Every structure is written in structure tokens, then in C-alpha cells.
Amino acid sequence: KAGVTQTPRYLIKTRGQQVTLSCSPISGHRSVSWYQQTPGQGLQFLFEYFSETQRNKGNFPGRFSGRQFSNSRSEMNVSTLELGDSALYLCASSPTGGDGYGYTFGSGTRLTVV
Amino acid sequence: AQTVTQSQPEMSVQEAETVTLSCTYDTSESNYYLFWYKQPPSRQMILVIRQEAYKQQNATENRFSVNFQKAAKSFSLKISDSQLGDTAMYFCAFMYTGANSKLTFGKGITLSVRP
């Protein structure tokens, strides 16, 4: 059974640019969540998508957005990049979310903003 | 809002020995789940163990076990017979039940297993 796949693994962008990260969940999982991990703030919840609908959102500015497709694959977009957006972005999938089985994480996308 | 506190930033243990990682949390919810995740240098978060708050029995997964004290809001992880492959960051996480839930993580603890 394939795990959660995130692409790309590494990304370097310039301030002001925008970036799109991709996440393919485990087959059959309909809930996809995104987390930002930084040394200073730790792991912070960005948003969760379930059946193509954003079901929950963390405390991030509107520059951070996402979407989910009918095959449950999800993308996350960050516009007008800032230096502080440099982080490891982790995607996690779950059968339905909130079901307590725990989320399966991908290996993340390391974004560096210069 | 829920908070998860891991007060020890680093720990070190000799191979084959036992180590306990501490975690406390704060919530007004009565139904929730608690997790320990491991993050090795490969970056992937790996679920180590989970505990349902309504279950009094402590969860166990091979060498990993928890001490869940609901009244004290404490959820520690015990690793027995530590192995070199246990070297990683360990995160304690909380999630309330139902839709719209999310994982709230502690800051993590870096565990080093010495040969």
C-alpha cells in the first residue's frame, strides 16, 4: 500500500513568488491535512480538506490556500512568499479525519525562501 | 484551546535501557485521542502509539507503552530496550474527536540513543 506522497521534496523560491505543493494521500483516505513545521513555532495546523471541501482552518494569513480534487489529492498554495514562510510543509491523510486512527504523514516538502 | 507541553527538549539513553518521555496537555474536552509521533532525520512523522481518552487501559505497542493519567492530564511514553533506530524527535499530540478536528502538537523532544 503506497504511503502519502508529497512533491517536490525540496524547493527554493524568491521572496514575492508563489509556490504550489502537492500531496497524494493513501488510497481510500478522504481527509488531507497540512502542517507547517519550523524550529521556532514547531508544528502548526494549516488546514484540512475532506471530500473537496475545506473543513477546518488554522490561524494563517490568506496567502496560504489549498484545494482538494475528486481523487483526494490536495495542493497547497502560498502566494507572495516571505522569508518567514521557509519551513517543512507536511501533509497527512486519514480515512475520515477525526476518527482517532491517527494520521499518516508524508515526508514533507522543504521550502526555502531567499 | 488545547495545549500540549513537552518540557524536556533533549534526552539521551544508553542502548538497551529504558527511557520515559513526558507530556502534559490541557483541554476541557472529555473525548479525545492522544498520540506519540516519531520524526527521524528522514523527516517523515511516524505514528508510534495512540490512546483513546475513554479507555483506562494504557496502550502498548511492542517496546513502546504509555502511562496515561487522565485526571492529571499526563501522557508519558516509555521506550523499553532502546535501540539505535529509536534516535529521533518525538512529538506528543492531542486530537479531539469528531469532524473539524486537528492534531495539536507539543514542541517535541530530541532523543539520542548511545551505543
Side-chain angles (χ1 to χ4, degrees), chain A residues 4-9 11 19-25 32 34 67 69 71-77 89-92 106-109:
Chain A
V4 178
T5 303
Q6 289 188 249
T7 55
R9 291 263 297 172
L11 209 47
V19 66
T20 299
L21 312 182
S22 178
C23 172
S24 294
V32 175
W34 289 88
R67 59 178 175 168
F69 301 95
N71 62 357
S72 292
R73 190 178 72 86
S74 177
E75 287 182 347
M76 187 192 111
N77 184 275
Y89 290 88
L90 291 164
C91 165
S107 295
T109 294

Side-chain angles (χ1 to χ4, degrees), chain A residues 36-56:
Chain A
Q36 181 195 65
Q37 185 177 18
T38 60
Q41 298 299 316
L43 283 146
Q44 296 186 89
F45 171 76
L46 280 155
F47 29 65
E48 185 222 3
Y49 285 87
F50 180 80
S51 293
E52 302 179 64
T53 301
Q54 186 181 85
R55 194 162 64 172
N56 199 0

Side-chain angles (χ1 to χ4, degrees), chain B residues 22-91:
Chain B
S22 302
C23 172
T24 58
Y25 60 95
D26 189 25
T27 183
S28 57
E29 303 284 337
S30 56
N31 296 319
Y32 51 86
Y33 300 96
L34 293 162
F35 307 90
W36 278 97
Y37 278 91
K38 166 185 177 181
Q39 188 178 40
S42 66
R43 305 180 335 198
Q44 185 172 12
M45 299 280 279
I46 301 165
L47 178 62
V48 175
I49 199 165
R50 60 186 284 271
Q51 174 79 41
E52 295 152 329
Y54 66 87
K55 287 189 177 178
Q56 292 187 331
Q57 185 173 5
N58 290 323
T60 300
E61 288 287 343
N62 301 313
R63 298 183 295 106
F64 299 89
S65 62
V66 297
N67 183 3
F68 174 47
Q69 302 289 328
K70 190 172 183 179
K73 296 180 181 173
S74 170
F75 183 61
S76 60
L77 174 69
K78 185 171 84 172
I79 305 175
S80 304
D81 185 26
S82 296
Q83 300 175 0
L84 297 179
D86 294 334
T87 293
M89 277 205 77
Y90 286 81
F91 293 92

